[in-house]
Amino acid sequence: MKIKNKLLVGFGFYTLLAVAMGCFMYLELHTIISRLAYVKSADDIVNNALETRRYEKNLLLFNDKGAINELDHYITLLRKNIGVLKKEIVKKIGAQEFAKLSGQIDEYEQSIHAIARNPADKGLIEKVRIIAREIQATIDAVAGGERASIDYLLAHLNRSMILLLFTIAAFIIAGAIINMKLAASISNPIRDLEEATKRVGGGDLSWRSELTGRDEIASLGMSFNRMQERLSAARQSLELAITELHEKQEQLLESEKLASLGRIAAGVAHEINNPLAIVNEKAGLMQDIIGISDEFQNKDKFMSLIQGIVASVDRCRAITHHLLGYARPTESVMETMSLNDVLADVKGFLHKELEDKRIAMETNFPVDLPQIRSDKGQLEQVVLNIVRNAIEAVSEGGHINISSGMKDSKTALISIADDGPGIPQDKVKHLFEPFFTTKGKKGTGLGLFVSYGIVKKLGGMITAESKSGRGTTFTIQIPVDFRQ
Amino acid sequence: MSKKEIKVLLVDDEVEFVDTLGQRLKMRGLKVDIVYDGEQALSFVKKTAPDVIVLDLKMPGLDGMEVLREVKKLKPDVQVIILTGHGTDKDDEQARKLGGFDFIRKPADIDLLVVKIKEAFSEKIERAMTAITFAEAGVFETAERIIKKDE
Ligand SMILES: Nc1ncnc2c1ncn2[C@@H]1O[C@H](COP(=O)(O)OP(=O)(O)OP(=O)(O)O)[C@@H](O)[C@H]1O
Ligand SMILES: [Mg+2]
């Protein structure tokens, strides 16, 4: 029920009660007043009759001529008052007796007048007395008893008062109950809603208002729930966005770190190349000279020492040249190509290594993969670095899986998974840093660093996922059409 | 091809490096001259034409790229190999555009360098021969006939 209707019901109830009580009071008062009027008229009739008898005595006993006027006056009054109560009297004694009474009064009046004219008529006097006594008797019977009805009236009034008190009490109690019910039916849902808003305000977004029904508050509750759901959804997507933002920020920091490391490393590589070249030539010259000179003590020893220097220079050169590759500011050569061709080429290059280690390489290249525009040579270099790492990581007879796909319409994916020993969690974040290697002298620790730089330059991203003992998966994301 | 000694000019401001490299190349039968900056290199080229120049890029004064450009203007036949510790791929590209023969990064393997110098020398000889052939053709044949022959 709508609140308006509830209020109307409350108001209607009160109005009805008030009207009922008014009617009741009116009826009670009406009864009492009409009763009182009856009593008064009956009293008048009795008085009129008494006065009539008094003047009748004056006329009959003392022959008072003036009494005839008084008698006329009181008989008229008597007749009038009987007329007033005609209905009640008829009810009491019946129409016949009433007619008889009226006839007796008429007869009485005529006889009185006759006696006034002829006071000596004893028979007439006797007749008047008899009629008068009969009238008196009838009137007493009809109205005399009514004096006693004062008691009845009092009793009636008392009863009415008690009834009235009861009615008022009932009125108050029923009113209170109904009002309480109505008030509760309005305020309970409001409290419910208030509770809900408080909870939600306090951050409990899962709270729902449980209001049902058809009134405004219930529909408010439902709107509240809808608002609430929207709010939760908005908060969820906000939280998601924030997490994403954090991830992006971390990636950005990481890539900035790697980029500046790259610049520093390239700078160092440049500076080192010249002194390295001097060492290289000096050692080389020593080798040349000793090589052509006659046998002398420790000649072989010197040769092998120099061989060591030259080999170390070679290692340094591998590092500096690798690093300079990373810093390569050349424009990439963009061409339209199939990613799957790139992967197949890499597989071809590594054919021998794969066979030597009896590695099963699975490939999963969807034929409907769209063509992409990127630098083929550089992409090949990246995939080569990663697959080579995988080959070095897995044991004899291990597995490598290369697959391609689309992340969305703008980004292609290459994923390279192996079942090698994996990388401990605390090392994963160092993977792309320069010189991070677990291969000792055999590795420069630059393969992934360089690959990272290349993919970055091509507008993409490399991520690694690995758990110790569970293999490693590298994922390369590359834009389908990268505009520098 | 000719048994004639290959004349190499080394241009580098890193004295220790270039002197040692010079000795090693001499030991490998090349005729080596050394200068230590770009200006010296240009005046040397004006006086005597070497077969191959091994040129550093980063030098005080005239840098390697400018020297290369000037040399190619003065004596287009002279082959230039860039040997540098600073070069980027972009420098590599630019040097080749300017007519450089090859681009090698320091520290370089001596055997590789010698191979490259010999290749550069053959290139130079070949060009000279083609030029002569063309000159002879120019004397005896009309332009139209060359075109026909090519077709
Ligand atoms: N698929 C893999 N499984 C386990 N560890 C890996 C894998 N790929 C890379 N790593 C680890 O990351 C390190 C860094 O690899 P990166 O390619 O950068 O250098 P490297 O392979 O050690 O040296 P280089 O590439 O010069 O041979 C490796 O030494 C290895 O510890
Ligand atoms: Mg590697």
Side-chain angles (χ1 to χ4, degrees):
Chain A
M1 212 179 350
K2 299 218 165 196
I3 293 177
K4 192 179 88 187
N5 295 344
K6 283 183 186 174
L7 291 176
L8 277 178
V9 165
F11 178 73
F13 174 76
Y14 273 106
T15 318
L16 227 73
L17 269 177
V19 168
M21 250 175 68
C23 289
F24 175 72
M25 292 284 291
Y26 177 81
L27 285 176
E28 281 299 296
L29 285 175
H30 183 78
T31 327
I32 290 164
I33 286 168
S34 57
R35 199 75 200 178
L36 275 174
Y38 179 70
V39 169
K40 184 179 175 294
S41 300
D43 207 39
D44 284 349
I45 290 170
V46 172
N47 276 337
N48 294 154
L50 283 176
E51 290 295 326
T52 310
R53 294 304 304 275
R54 195 151 66 91
Y55 286 105
E56 176 202 315
K57 205 157 64 191
N58 287 352
L59 181 71
L60 296 185
L61 289 183
F62 312 113
N63 202 14
D64 179 0
K65 296 280 185 210
I68 190 74
N69 292 330
E70 297 296 329
L71 269 167
D72 275 343
H73 172 67
Y74 282 108
I75 289 170
T76 318
L77 273 182
L78 183 65
R79 205 181 268 124
K80 188 189 132 214
N81 281 329
I82 285 177
V84 169
L85 282 190
K86 181 181 173 183
K87 234 165 75 194
E88 280 81 2
I89 296 170
V90 168
K91 214 159 62 187
K92 257 191 174 161
I93 56 174
Q96 215 177 337
E97 286 293 306
F98 183 80
K100 190 181 157 197
L101 180 64
S102 299
Q104 282 173 334
I105 290 171
D106 291 345
E107 208 181 344
Y108 178 76
E109 193 181 23
Q110 283 160 21
S111 306
I112 286 292
H113 277 276
I115 288 167
R117 279 189 308 273
N118 185 10
D121 190 340
K122 290 282 178 211
L124 214 58
I125 290 173
E126 197 50 35
K127 187 186 168 191
V128 163
R129 277 213 177 107
I130 291 166
I131 296 172
R133 238 180 261 124
E134 275 179 17
I135 292 174
Q136 181 88 50
T138 312
I139 284 175
D140 277 348
V142 170
E146 291 307 325
R147 305 210 110 210
S149 69
I150 297 283
D151 295 338
Y152 161 81
L153 263 180
L154 270 176
H156 191 90
L157 268 175
N158 263 335
R159 207 188 61 201
S160 300
M161 214 166 68
I162 289 166
L163 224 87
L164 194 66
L165 283 177
F166 269 115
T167 321
I168 289 174
F171 183 63
I172 288 171
I173 290 168
I177 290 173
I178 288 185
N179 257 359
M180 258 153 62
K181 286 235 169 211
L182 280 179
S185 82
I186 293 171
S187 82
N188 283 351
I190 293 183
R191 210 179 311 136
D192 227 74
L193 208 59
E194 191 198 3
E195 167 85 12
T197 51
K198 267 191 197 151
R199 294 238 176 192
V200 173
D204 178 6
L205 283 184
S206 65
W207 189 264
R208 292 281 178 280
S209 146
E210 268 156 17
L211 295 176
T212 51
R214 268 178 295 156
D215 70 2
E216 292 90 333
I217 297 173
S219 87
L220 196 63
M222 283 179 247
S223 316
F224 176 83
N225 283 349
R226 271 197 300 280
M227 179 188 85
Q228 171 74 335
E229 271 148 28
R230 293 253 181 111
L231 213 60
S232 307
R235 185 156 91 171
Q236 258 172 16
S237 59
L238 201 67
E239 274 166 3
L240 216 71
I242 288 173
T243 342
E244 236 168 68
L245 207 65
H246 276 279
E247 272 169 21
K248 283 264 153 65
Q249 195 184 27
E250 252 166 48
Q251 277 170 11
L252 203 69
L253 281 177
E254 181 68 13
S255 80
E256 263 168 21
K257 185 174 98 184
L258 290 179
S260 56
L261 267 173
R263 281 191 295 276
I264 294 168
V268 171
H270 269 143
E271 292 317 311
I272 279 178
N273 271 343
N274 281 323
L276 203 58
I278 296 173
V279 172
N280 192 39
E281 297 315 326
K282 299 267 179 201
L285 183 57
M286 278 162 75
Q287 219 171 12
D288 292 348
I289 293 169
I290 294 172
I292 55 170
S293 54
D294 298 334
E295 201 61 37
F296 63 94
Q297 206 188 353
N298 289 333
K299 179 177 175 181
D300 291 345
K301 175 118 196 195
F302 277 118
M303 279 305 261
S304 86
L305 284 174
I306 294 165
Q307 197 57 51
I309 296 175
V310 172
S312 296
V313 168
D314 281 349
R315 254 173 68 201
C316 289
R317 174 173 41 207
I319 292 173
T320 58
H321 286 186
H322 230 136
L323 283 175
L324 289 175
Y326 179 78
R328 243 188 292 228
T330 42
E331 272 125 62
S332 309
V333 194
M334 290 300 178
E335 58 186 304
T336 303
M337 63 177 143
S338 154
L339 208 52
N340 292 339
D341 288 349
V342 174
L343 300 181
D345 283 354
V346 171
K347 197 181 167 189
F349 292 148
L350 295 173
H351 188 71
K352 197 175 165 321
E353 277 108 313
L354 289 169
E355 220 162 53
D356 286 351
K357 238 179 148 180
R358 293 186 299 104
I359 292 168
M361 181 179 269
E362 248 178 71
T363 49
N364 180 14
F365 307 153
V367 279
D368 56 348
L369 200 69
Q371 299 251 311
I372 70 165
R373 250 184 84 75
S374 200
D375 186 315
K376 193 173 180 190
Q378 294 191 351
L379 261 182
E380 269 175 5
Q381 160 101 54
V382 170
V383 178
L384 208 61
N385 281 345
I386 292 174
V387 177
R388 201 165 257 149
N389 280 342
I391 292 175
E392 284 163 10
V394 298
S395 43
E396 282 254 336
H399 296 81
I400 297 175
N401 183 311
I402 306 185
S403 56
S404 59
M406 299 296 291
K407 182 183 179 221
D408 49 50
S409 62
K410 287 184 188 143
T411 316
L413 287 179
I414 304 170
S415 124
I416 295 146
D418 66 60
D419 61 353
I423 304 154
Q425 204 55 49
D426 57 318
K427 298 260 170 66
V428 173
K429 58 174 178 283
H430 301 301
L431 273 186
F432 298 103
E433 288 170 10
F435 308 116
F436 173 77
T437 181
T438 54
K439 294 169 191 166
K441 279 187 188 175
K442 283 191 210 138
T444 62
L446 292 172
L448 288 178
F449 175 61
V450 169
S451 303
Y452 186 93
I454 292 175
V455 172
K456 203 85 211 168
K457 206 166 64 182
L458 296 177
M461 198 159 80
I462 306 186
T463 50
E465 233 182 285
S466 182
K467 281 216 180 87
S468 243
R470 292 255 211 92
T472 308
T473 303
F474 281 87
T475 307
I476 305 168
Q477 294 182 25
I478 208 86
V480 166
D481 188 3
F482 179 56
R483 312 257 165 209
Q484 280 159 320
Chain B
M1 205 115 318
S2 131
K3 280 275 160 70
K4 165 190 169 204
E5 232 178 10
I6 304 174
K7 282 181 282 173
V8 181
L9 175 66
L10 303 183
V11 189
D12 201 320
D13 59 321
E14 192 76 65
V15 180
E16 287 276 354
F17 171 76
V18 79
D19 283 352
T20 317
L21 180 64
Q23 286 185 53
R24 295 187 78 193
L25 292 179
K26 275 179 198 158
M27 289 174 77
R28 282 164 177 76
L30 305 178
K31 186 180 176 308
V32 176
D33 287 293
I34 299 173
V35 294
Y36 302 109
D37 64 39
E39 282 83 5
Q40 285 179 37
L42 287 184
S43 47
F44 184 95
V45 170
K46 278 176 196 157
K47 272 186 270 157
T48 40
D51 300 313
V52 178
I53 301 179
V54 174
L55 180 61
D56 187 19
L57 278 186
K58 205 181 156 213
M59 292 180 294
L62 218 53
D63 78 8
M65 217 53 96
E66 286 165 60
V67 174
L68 168 61
R69 195 175 294 132
E70 285 305 310
V71 167
K72 282 291 167 184
K73 255 191 244 164
L74 291 170
K75 309 256 166 93
D77 286 352
V78 176
Q79 295 303 308
V80 179
I81 293 172
I82 303 289
L83 176 63
T84 181
H86 279 89
T88 61
D89 281 7
K90 209 168 194 173
D91 297 328
D92 187 338
E93 239 170 77
Q94 198 191 349
R96 283 175 207 274
K97 262 187 211 148
L98 290 175
F101 178 76
D102 210 337
F103 192 97
I104 300 173
R105 289 192 169 81
K106 283 183 194 172
D109 179 43
I110 189 77
D111 298 329
L112 177 82
L113 185 60
V114 171
V115 167
K116 291 291 176 192
I117 289 172
K118 285 184 174 157
E119 278 175 19
F121 178 69
S122 327
E123 171 83 9
K124 187 198 166 195
I125 299 297
E126 226 163 84
R127 286 201 180 188
M129 302 270 283
T130 327
I132 289 164
T133 318
F134 266 97
E136 284 169 351
V139 172
F140 298 112
E141 322 247 8
T142 66
E144 271 171 314
R145 286 188 67 181
I146 297 172
I147 290 162
K148 264 187 188 166
K149 201 174 152 192
D150 280 353
E151 280 167 354

